[in-house]
Amino acid sequence: MINESRPTCVIDCRVSDPQQLKGGGLDDQELICRMVAKRMGIVDENILKIFKKPHSATTTERDDFEEIVDFIKNSEIKVNYYIIKSIDRFTRCGYPEYLKLKAELENVGVRMIDSHGIIQEKINTLAHLGDFKYKWSEFSPSESSEMMEAYKGKAEARDILGRMIGAEIYLVQQGYAVRRPVDGMVNKKIFVNGKNRTIREFDPERGPYFVRMFEMRAEGLADEEIVEKINAMGFKTKVMNRLNKKRDQIIGHRGGIPLNVKQLQRYVQVVEYAGVKCEKWTNHKPIKANYSGIISIDLWNQANRGKKYIKENEDGSLEIIHNFDPNRTKRRLRNNPLFPNKFIRCPLCKELGKNKTFLGSSPVGRSGVGNPTYHCAREHKYLGIPKKVFDESIENFVKNLKFEPNFLNGLEITLLNKYRQREKEIVDDSSKIHQSIADLKAEQAAKINAIVATTSATVRKQLDQEVEELEEKIKKADQERIRIRITEDDIKAFVRWAKNIMEHPAEWLLNQGDASKREVLFGLVFEEIPTYEEILNGTAKLSIVFRLSSDFIKDENQLVTLRGIEPRLQP
């Protein structure tokens, strides 16, 4: 029975998700709130209802709170107080949202109480003059404290989510598992360098079904036939619980049905079965997982029949190619690694005032064997030079390159002088950035003070957003301050790197198999990319850094074409 001489209340206990229920958080909150009610003279029978459920306080869609307000409105007994453990348990959406929810309670005549004693009762600044009361004369003396608690709750939620989601993204990018496993695999905890990590492994109960799906599809069986055989083996989709919108009650189950063609086609496209991860947190790029799948990548490719294809590159990276046909004729590569020196200019084109490079191909002779050849026939007769002869000419030229010894000393002096000039600029820039950060922080503090001073919910919301925008600007400015730093050691390290390149130009230039990269590097050696004839004659225009050794021998006999191919280029 209700004690009509005592006040009444409802108690609201909230945790973020069902997982927190296991820690007893709701029971602890109930105990604390009951103690608060007892101190206020509220007996147990006057606690009209205790709301206990998991619900995120970081969203403005609070159907749990709407349920409480509806209970208060429809209650036959007047509710005086709404008791919570703390403001951050009430909402984590910042002060504007807190003010809105609090106003909803006030509109139904209920006062909010927290166990920390922060929320104080409103006072009327005109009370000493009589029974005069206006909207502006009534205020809560704890308003600024409430605002800071609400803002702190929002910041804490952001920090918690940043740490948690950031850690999960990092683990996924490292190839570990963080979510529920795909059907046919199970999660397994392991320790890596003393830290707990999750990987996937073969599910001995359901895994065999999926292995057979891939094997039969790789064998060429029709999807309808595979579905029929897998279902005959006793396969049914995994049974999963269906939760209500609040995700706090099981309202049914899904799954437990035989396999169908569409589901089969979805299963065989899951790359994780092949030990590969590709999702939003890997930037939709495939990476190798830190665990082996239940099938090989080759079997996965065969089962997908070219609709999707996992390509393993030489450097260990992966690519997913759509509509891949492994039997199609290979297309020509613009930067074919077989012809890394295609960027060398054609001498006959130069005579015509053109600046064309060589092409590369492997024409098949009477013997049926391809003959790799650098060639050109643009507006002139065909000029072809065997790949071996052509590449040896380039290699011979590059191996005779030497750098000017005095250049490096001059380079270091020049760089250090430039560094001294740059150092002053950096100090000036850094000083300006420091001042900018100080100004931003001052502006941020002013905004916070303005939030405390204003009574307008709209203004508070706007100011709260501006405070966050200023915080982001402060972070970016600080990052820029760190980025522009450069030291004298950086200059010396660069000089050491440059010296190594100039002392070993052949290694530097010839180890680049990609034609486009090699062309860029040759552009540093020459004033302009030379023709093949200039390479043979040693007349290529070198940059000031390099010169040819005195024992360089011109090999004019190399400037020939294969027997039977016209014209022959005359020296």
Side-chain angles (χ1 to χ4, degrees):
M1 295 291 294
I2 299 296
N3 187 335
E4 297 182 358
S5 63
R6 298 290 184 91
T8 60
C9 74
V10 294
I11 290 175
D12 186 14
C13 306
R14 186 201 62 80
V15 291
S16 296
D17 56 65
Q19 289 293 327
Q20 292 185 347
L21 291 173
K22 299 177 181 179
L26 293 180
D27 293 336
D28 291 342
Q29 290 182 47
E30 180 186 349
L31 180 61
I32 292 170
C33 291
R34 281 184 177 276
M35 292 177 61
V36 172
K38 186 176 182 181
R39 286 201 304 266
M40 297 176 64
I42 302 174
V43 294
D44 288 345
E45 54 267 29
N46 281 22
I47 300 176
L48 301 182
K49 189 165 183 178
I50 298 174
F51 295 88
K52 296 168 65 175
K53 60 185 63 178
H55 198 290
S56 174
T58 59
T59 176
T60 56
E61 296 180 4
R62 292 290 301 275
D63 51 354
D64 64 319
F65 182 73
E66 291 174 8
E67 180 184 345
I68 296 172
V69 174
D70 288 341
F71 173 82
I72 294 171
K73 289 179 179 179
N74 299 323
S75 175
E76 296 180 357
I77 302 170
K78 168 66 177 174
V79 180
N80 303 114
Y81 298 103
Y82 169 84
I83 301 177
I84 56 173
K85 177 180 178 291
S86 58
I87 291 175
D88 67 342
R89 289 289 90 193
F90 179 56
T91 179
R92 289 185 182 271
C93 287
Y95 188 65
E97 182 67 14
Y98 165 76
L99 195 66
K100 186 190 82 171
L101 298 178
K102 184 182 177 185
E104 284 191 46
L105 291 172
E106 291 176 350
N107 290 337
V108 293
V110 177
R111 180 186 163 198
M112 184 187 295
I113 301 292
D114 69 305
S115 67
H116 295 168
I118 292 176
I119 305 172
Q120 300 296 314
E121 189 172 3
K122 284 187 175 182
I123 63 173
N124 180 12
T125 57
L126 300 179
H128 62 291
L129 299 176
D131 191 18
F132 302 106
K133 184 168 61 175
Y134 301 93
K135 287 184 178 180
W136 54 264
S137 68
E138 278 192 316
F139 80 102
S140 172
S142 61
E143 188 173 329
S144 60
S145 298
E146 294 173 44
M147 180 206 70
M148 294 305 296
E149 284 296 310
Y151 184 80
K152 187 173 70 175
K154 182 178 181 180
E156 184 181 358
R158 182 175 59 240
D159 292 342
I160 291 172
L161 290 173
R163 288 194 298 269
M164 181 180 70
I165 302 300
E168 289 184 345
I169 292 174
Y170 174 78
L171 289 174
V172 168
Q173 292 179 349
Q174 296 299 307
Y176 294 104
V178 296
R179 303 187 187 90
R180 183 177 61 199
V182 295
D183 197 2
M185 303 180 77
V186 292
N187 283 342
K188 178 183 179 182
K189 298 290 184 182
I190 61 171
F191 284 93
V192 179
N193 298 325
K195 296 182 179 180
N196 197 12
R197 296 288 183 262
T198 302
I199 61 171
R200 314 270 203 225
E201 64 178 7
F202 183 77
D203 183 348
E205 180 180 349
R206 298 189 59 81
Y209 293 122
F210 293 88
V211 173
R212 286 300 297 142
M213 289 181 203
F214 282 95
E215 289 176 344
M216 285 191 283
R217 215 166 188 270
E219 291 167 5
L221 272 69
D223 288 346
E224 292 78 5
E225 188 176 357
I226 296 172
V227 167
E228 187 177 331
K229 290 179 179 294
I230 293 295
N231 286 334
M233 294 166 58
F235 177 88
K236 288 188 177 180
T237 57
K238 200 167 187 178
V239 177
M240 308 288 288
N241 292 331
R242 288 181 59 210
L243 302 178
N244 61 1
K245 186 178 179 181
K246 301 175 185 177
R247 302 188 65 80
D248 60 351
Q249 288 183 351
I250 298 174
I251 59 174
H253 299 88
R254 58 187 175 88
I257 60 175
L259 182 67
N260 58 50
V261 171
K262 287 188 176 180
Q263 188 63 54
L264 168 68
Q265 292 170 349
R266 284 195 290 266
Y267 281 145
V268 296
Q269 291 186 47
V270 176
V271 295
E272 197 165 3
Y273 288 125
V276 175
K277 300 185 75 65
C278 183
E279 57 165 278
K280 179 180 179 180
W281 286 356
T282 65
N283 297 307
H284 299 290
K285 295 180 180 178
I287 62 171
K288 288 186 178 179
N290 272 321
Y291 46 87
S292 59
I294 62 175
I295 59 168
S296 67
I297 290 179
D298 285 340
L299 180 57
W300 191 93
N301 286 335
Q302 293 173 38
N304 276 273
R305 300 172 181 174
K307 186 172 184 179
K308 286 186 178 180
Y309 183 86
I310 301 175
K311 180 184 176 183
E312 298 180 88
N313 298 319
E314 293 182 1
D315 60 359
S317 63
L318 301 175
E319 290 181 66
I320 293 182
I321 303 173
H322 295 263
N323 300 319
F324 176 78
D325 182 3
N327 298 317
R328 68 185 174 186
T329 303
K330 293 185 177 179
R331 62 182 179 88
R332 288 185 176 182
L333 299 176
R334 184 172 181 271
N335 294 320
N336 192 336
L338 184 62
F339 300 99
N341 295 310
K342 287 197 303 181
F343 60 88
I344 298 298
R345 305 304 191 227
C346 170
L348 296 183
C349 285
K350 187 171 184 181
E351 290 179 4
L352 297 173
K354 306 292 185 181
N355 196 29
K356 302 293 185 180
T357 62
F358 276 93
L359 302 174
S361 62
S362 300
V364 178
R366 293 179 180 178
S367 63
V369 178
N371 300 301
T373 305
Y374 289 92
H375 59 86
C376 183
R378 300 182 182 95
E379 301 180 22
H380 57 74
K381 291 184 179 181
Y382 181 89
L383 168 64
I385 303 162
K387 167 183 163 56
K388 182 178 180 182
V389 174
F390 195 99
D391 289 346
E392 285 179 354
S393 300
I394 304 299
E395 185 176 345
N396 178 56
F397 184 91
V398 169
K399 287 182 177 178
N400 280 279
L401 284 175
K402 292 185 178 181
F403 75 98
E404 293 287 352
N406 294 328
F407 177 81
L408 193 62
N409 294 331
L411 175 65
E412 184 169 6
I413 293 171
T414 301
L415 287 175
L416 287 173
N417 288 336
K418 288 291 184 183
Y419 165 66
R420 295 304 175 197
Q421 298 174 13
R422 178 63 177 150
E423 188 177 31
K424 181 179 182 303
E425 295 173 7
I426 290 170
V427 171
D428 292 341
D429 291 347
S430 183
S431 176
K432 291 176 183 176
I433 292 173
H434 275 295
Q435 184 60 47
S436 176
I437 291 174
D439 292 342
L440 289 170
K441 287 184 176 179
E443 186 180 352
Q444 188 182 44
K447 298 286 186 186
I448 292 175
N449 290 333
I451 294 174
V452 175
T454 186
T455 58
S456 169
T458 303
V459 174
R460 284 195 185 97
K461 185 174 181 179
Q462 179 64 30
L463 290 172
D464 194 39
Q465 181 179 350
E466 291 176 4
V467 167
E468 291 193 9
E469 290 173 355
L470 287 169
E471 182 66 28
E472 190 63 29
K473 289 181 180 179
I474 290 170
K475 289 180 180 179
K476 288 183 178 179
D478 197 47
Q479 291 170 357
E480 177 64 17
R481 179 183 60 79
I482 295 171
R483 187 188 67 79
I484 66 172
R485 292 180 60 188
I486 184 173
T487 67
E488 194 168 336
D489 289 339
D490 296 328
I491 299 295
K492 292 181 178 178
F494 173 77
V495 171
R496 287 194 298 271
W497 174 78
K499 182 179 180 181
N500 181 62
I501 288 176
M502 288 190 286
E503 287 180 346
H504 308 283
E507 296 178 15
W508 178 52
L509 293 170
L510 298 176
N511 287 339
Q512 289 293 336
D514 184 89
S516 60
K517 292 180 181 178
R518 186 177 287 204
E519 180 177 4
V520 172
L521 295 176
F522 267 70
L524 301 176
V525 175
F526 301 97
E527 287 187 10
E528 60 181 25
I529 299 298
T531 66
Y532 182 69
E533 184 178 20
E534 290 169 339
I535 291 287
L536 290 183
N537 295 335
T539 57
K541 295 179 182 179
L542 296 167
S543 66
I544 60 171
V545 180
F546 293 95
R547 59 182 170 83
L548 283 179
S549 63
S550 57
D551 57 350
F552 177 74
I553 301 174
K554 302 175 185 177
D555 189 354
E556 298 181 356
N557 291 327
Q558 288 182 324
L559 196 58
V560 296
T561 57
L562 289 174
R563 181 183 298 274
I565 298 179
E566 295 293 343
R568 299 181 185 274
L569 183 64
Q570 299 299 322

